[in-house]
Amino acid sequence: MKKLTHKYAAALMLIGVVAGIGLTAGTTASAMSKSQKTRLASYAKFDQKTTKTSQKIDREFDKVGMRNLTKLTRHNMSSRVVQPFEPDVFTIGNKLTVGNQNRTHGVTLGKHSVVVGNINTWDVANVKTTTLSKKNQKKVFRIIGSKWQSAVSMTKLSQSAQTAFLTKHTSKTAFAYGAYSNLPDLYQKNAQSYFDQDKNNNGFVTVTADNYLNYYHNYATKAGTPNYTKISQSIKIKKFTRGKSVYTYYLAKPLKGFGTKKVNIAGKKMYQLKMSLGHVFQAYDNTNGDAGTFRITVNVGSKQFYANLGNIAEAYAYSLQGSQDGQSAFDEQKAKTYIQGLQ
């Protein structure tokens, strides 16, 4: 089994922690200064002005479609070479004992558990907790605590243990297309999303290994500590269609507030929820206002969420603006070739 490259694995060591940036590091709206609120309003006003350039960027990324969203959001650890798109979903071949980032309070995941994760350069396995099955989530959070979006193996893994961990997942479901996640975490779009660090307690949507659509909302304490057992809505996905441009989820119950549509499939009542790509926008540094992360809107039913673009997609967005600023993230011409190859 091919092991992750050194830099790529080191970056993915923070799986889950990276995805949660802004949730604990951001600020609440009430804590923002008047000048920050004014800046956010100006960013939003600027972004809402439709231009030929903004339309071009939206068209180019819309052509990539939902099916390739995870390829747009993955970071590539070279600024010039497109590295292999590594699998991230595994059906682990042996029992695995994991703990929190401090390696305390170990809990064992059973053989054949489905996980999103990787093995880092220190031979430690990382597992994303919020995408575990409901049964495994309950077991893990009860032991390691509810604030951890990732868990790590309690010991370094031998070569045989690493091979067992990296057993590629093969099923094609709402959760994963074989060994690849169908969906990154999607964070709720709001006025503060124009800052690189979004607001504390910002809602997000994810899908679990046992095919539940989870919506987190108001899941953190006043101090900003997340509680990933506090799920606002968790609904079983009964059927899933993985279209190029649109994902369609057929849910056992309506997802309240998302405009789900009641439909009948083979005589069974279900609730339809569609996801598709939307407007690409840019966030700015919370402190100095420098242009920062590009984000892509994802329409989730009647609500808007976003995902951060990775460095290749970001470089292409800059090139479409006619800017050379993306060169530091990735070679812009190679980024164009890669992204257009996904269309």
Side-chain angles (χ1 to χ4, degrees):
M1 186 71 64
K2 182 180 181 294
K3 193 173 179 180
L4 297 178
T5 56
H6 178 86
K7 289 183 178 179
Y8 187 83
L12 282 187
M13 170 188 166
L14 295 176
I15 195 165
V17 177
V18 172
I21 267 183
L23 301 181
T24 57
T27 58
T28 61
S30 60
M32 286 195 299
S33 66
K34 183 177 180 180
S35 62
Q36 284 180 310
K37 291 178 181 179
T38 300
R39 282 169 51 203
L40 281 172
S42 66
Y43 298 150
K45 185 177 180 180
F46 175 77
D47 181 57
Q48 288 160 8
K49 289 182 179 178
T50 301
T51 66
K52 288 183 178 179
T53 298
S54 67
Q55 289 178 322
K56 183 178 181 180
I57 293 172
D58 287 348
R59 282 197 306 269
E60 282 296 289
F61 281 94
D62 188 59
K63 286 189 287 186
V64 171
M66 277 295 297
R67 192 179 292 176
N68 285 315
L69 176 60
T70 51
K71 290 185 178 179
L72 293 178
T73 58
R74 290 271 189 97
H75 279 283
N76 191 83
M77 296 311 294
S78 167
S79 62
R80 295 191 60 81
V81 179
V82 177
Q83 295 179 332
F85 187 58
E86 302 280 0
D88 67 334
V89 183
F90 306 100
T91 303
I92 59 178
N94 284 330
K95 294 179 179 179
L96 180 73
T97 302
V98 297
N100 58 33
Q101 296 295 316
N102 301 319
R103 287 198 190 173
T104 59
H105 305 93
V107 57
T108 300
L109 295 174
K111 184 178 179 180
H112 304 313
S113 292
V114 177
V115 302
V116 172
N118 73 291
I119 295 174
N120 66 29
T121 50
W122 296 278
D123 301 327
V124 171
N126 299 276
V127 171
K128 189 174 180 184
T129 58
T130 50
T131 56
L132 291 170
S133 68
K134 291 174 79 73
K135 179 180 177 181
N136 277 335
Q137 278 190 32
K138 185 176 181 180
K139 179 194 296 186
V140 168
F141 287 136
R142 185 175 66 246
I143 301 299
I144 75 170
S146 60
K147 70 177 181 179
W148 302 98
Q149 201 173 3
S150 63
V152 298
S153 58
M154 295 293 284
T155 60
K156 291 185 177 182
L157 302 186
S158 65
Q159 191 58 53
S160 61
Q162 291 181 41
T163 301
F165 178 88
L166 296 170
T167 303
K168 290 183 181 180
H169 184 60
T170 57
S171 298
K172 295 176 181 178
T173 66
F175 172 63
Y177 191 77
Y180 300 90
S181 299
N182 276 327
L183 201 67
D185 286 337
L186 302 177
Y187 291 93
Q188 199 145 4
K189 190 176 179 183
N190 59 81
Q192 207 165 317
S193 299
Y194 289 103
F195 275 160
D196 275 343
Q197 291 183 341
D198 208 334
K199 67 178 182 179
N200 285 329
N201 205 24
N202 192 23
F204 71 98
V205 165
T206 191
V207 174
T208 65
D210 52 348
N211 298 301
Y212 278 83
L213 184 69
N214 284 351
Y215 172 49
Y216 287 82
H217 178 65
N218 290 331
Y219 56 94
T221 67
K222 290 182 179 180
T225 303
N227 177 355
Y228 293 113
T229 66
K230 192 177 179 182
I231 305 169
S232 178
Q233 298 183 67
S234 181
I235 301 176
K236 183 69 175 180
I237 302 166
K238 306 294 288 185
K239 179 181 169 64
F240 172 68
T241 302
R242 187 177 183 267
K244 182 182 187 299
S245 299
V246 179
Y247 282 177
T248 306
Y249 299 84
Y250 296 91
L251 308 176
K253 299 187 298 183
L255 188 63
K256 295 176 182 178
F258 283 74
T260 48
K261 179 183 177 182
K262 184 166 69 173
V263 295
N264 282 296
I265 305 293
K268 295 182 179 180
K269 183 173 67 176
M270 298 182 196
Y271 295 85
Q272 185 186 80
L273 178 76
K274 292 187 176 183
M275 290 189 191
S276 62
L277 299 183
H279 175 56
V280 176
F281 64 102
Q282 195 163 17
Y284 300 82
D285 186 276
N286 295 51
T287 303
N288 58 31
D290 287 346
T293 307
F294 275 94
R295 291 170 169 161
I296 188 164
T297 304
V298 180
N299 302 308
V300 181
S302 59
K303 291 185 180 292
Q304 289 189 330
F305 287 71
Y306 73 82
N308 289 323
L309 295 180
N311 58 336
I312 301 179
E314 185 171 280
Y316 187 45
Y318 271 118
S319 72
L320 291 170
Q321 285 184 338
S323 169
Q324 294 293 308
D325 290 345
Q327 289 291 142
S328 59
F330 194 83
D331 181 276
E332 288 187 358
Q333 186 56 47
K334 291 182 179 180
K336 176 181 178 180
T337 300
Y338 176 74
I339 298 301
Q340 290 188 346
L342 297 176
Q343 296 174 348

